Every structure is written in C-alpha cells, then in structure tokens.
Amino acid sequence: MKSSQFTEIQIIDGLKNNDSRVFDHLFNEYYTQLQYFAERLVSNREEAQDIVITVFRKFWSIKDNFQTINNIKAFFYITVRNQCLDFLRYRQRLNEVKKEYESHLLTADELKQSEHLIIETDLINKIYKEVQKLPNRCREIFILTYFKGLKTKEIASALQISESAVTTQRSLAIKYLKHAFSQEGYVFFCLVLAGMDV
C-alpha cells in the first residue's frame, strides 16, 4: 500500500502497531511545512531541520498517545514552536547582552503570528504538491525560478534553451497552478511567490 492511500484509522492503528510506513507517510506529509515554519521562527535552516527531526523522534516515542490526525498535526506545530523558543532562549543566553537578547526573543505579537505561519506553511505544502504534477520542463523551470532563485538568462544557459522558451514554460506552469487553486487560494499563492527569493 502506498503511503498516500493511508486513511486516518489506518494511520492511528499503524502507530499502535509500530508500522514504519505510517511514520514515513507522516514524515513526507509534514516535514517540508514544519521545516519552513521552524526556519521562519529561528532564521536558521540547519537548526530548523534539526528541530523538526528531533520533534519527529519525540513523536515516535509517544506515538500511542494520538487518536486523530488533528491531534498529530497540533502536536507537530506546538512542539516545533516550543523547540524553536527554547533554541532562541539558549542563543540569547550565549550572547549575554540584553540588546541582543531582546532582538532575538519572540514578542507576544510574534507568537500570535504563528497561527498565520501555519496557514502559510499549509499553502506552501499545497504548492509543492501541485508543482510535482507539472510537465517535466515546466516543473524544472518553475523550481529553478521560484525555489532556486535563478534568473531567466541563467535558466536558459543552464538548460541550453532560449530565454523565450524559459518564459513560455514558466507561463504555462503559472497557468496550470492558477487553475489548481481557488480564487482566494491563488491570491495567497501569488503572495507566496512574491515573497520568494527570485
């Protein structure tokens, strides 16, 4: 059975039966968005990755305690957020400078924004999934543009195609993704792309 075919009941039962396929499914489903969420909080990709891996290990050690997918998702986000706060406090103690401490410590307003980050990371996850459905060349050019930050000329050189071909394929990718999202979802999709390093 492919991981994408797991139902909620199969996931909960699989956790109780130590089914590693269930762990693989949950890891593939949530790792990218959790890593993005953590990185936004700690501003350090490697540390964010370490935090998420640690949270998955902790999850597996208490896997029998979960009854629903929502419980699991809530655990992931809350635990990642708490681990990020612990890391920031640790980094602040090392600095031993009040100004540096205050500049890195999350404020109450920033903590409230974590809910918005969860929504944003859910959308990022949907974008990643839709991008994987694009035709090969469209997908390759879209990733090089929006995920790798390459310019049209750089992509044309790397793929040994014309700049107009790059532009055409990128337009096709955007057109496909526009149809893949609702009107409201597409607005957020555009905002996410605008915030990427291009």
Side-chain angles (χ1 to χ4, degrees):
M1 178 182 293
K2 295 181 179 179
S3 61
S4 60
Q5 296 176 325
F6 280 114
T7 65
E8 182 173 26
I9 293 177
Q10 289 173 325
I11 288 173
I12 300 304
D13 289 342
L15 291 175
K16 297 183 185 302
N17 294 321
N18 297 317
D19 190 340
S20 61
R21 294 175 303 165
V22 172
F23 179 84
D24 291 340
H25 165 69
L26 293 172
F27 186 90
N28 292 333
E29 185 72 15
Y30 291 106
Y31 176 83
T32 298
Q33 50 191 303
L34 288 171
Q35 185 262 320
Y36 178 83
F37 177 65
E39 188 176 345
R40 289 290 300 273
L41 292 176
V42 301
S43 301
N44 184 307
R45 174 165 294 187
E46 291 183 359
E47 188 60 39
Q49 293 171 341
D50 289 343
I51 286 172
V52 174
I53 292 297
T54 298
V55 169
F56 270 101
R57 287 174 180 162
K58 184 174 182 179
F59 162 76
W60 190 248
S61 71
I62 58 171
K63 60 187 181 303
D64 294 339
N65 297 340
F66 300 95
Q67 302 301 320
T68 68
I69 293 297
N70 285 337
N71 291 154
I72 294 172
K73 184 175 180 179
F75 169 83
F76 282 150
Y77 276 104
I78 292 171
T79 309
V80 166
R81 185 188 65 183
N82 290 342
Q83 292 274 37
C84 288
L85 293 177
D86 288 342
F87 168 72
L88 290 174
R89 293 187 185 103
Y90 170 75
R91 186 168 65 185
Q92 290 152 4
R93 285 195 297 271
L94 290 181
N95 289 332
E96 296 182 355
V97 178
K98 184 177 181 180
K99 183 177 179 180
E100 190 69 16
Y101 180 90
E102 293 174 348
S103 70
H104 286 90
L105 185 64
L106 289 179
T107 65
D109 288 339
E110 288 173 326
L111 288 177
K112 290 179 182 178
Q113 290 175 0
S114 64
E115 291 185 1
H116 296 290
L117 281 176
I118 291 174
I119 295 173
E120 184 178 347
T121 52
D122 276 343
L123 179 59
I124 287 290
N125 188 50
K126 292 176 183 178
I127 292 175
Y128 277 115
K129 288 182 178 179
E130 291 299 331
V131 167
Q132 296 309 310
K133 299 176 184 178
L134 292 171
N136 291 339
R137 184 62 84 182
C138 282
R139 180 174 67 251
E140 186 176 20
I141 290 174
F142 185 91
I143 290 174
L144 289 174
T145 300
Y146 294 104
F147 298 160
K148 302 298 183 181
L150 297 185
K151 305 295 184 183
T152 300
K153 186 175 183 179
E154 294 172 325
I155 296 173
S157 177
L159 300 181
Q160 296 185 335
I161 59 177
S162 67
E163 292 183 31
S164 62
V166 172
T167 302
T168 299
Q169 290 296 318
R170 184 164 51 221
S171 296
L172 289 174
I174 295 296
K175 182 178 180 180
Y176 171 85
L177 292 170
K178 181 176 181 180
H179 287 294
F181 289 90
S182 64
Q183 182 175 358
E184 180 180 359
Y186 182 65
V187 172
F188 283 109
F189 165 71
C190 291
L191 290 175
V192 170
L193 291 190
M196 292 181 174
D197 295 329
V198 180

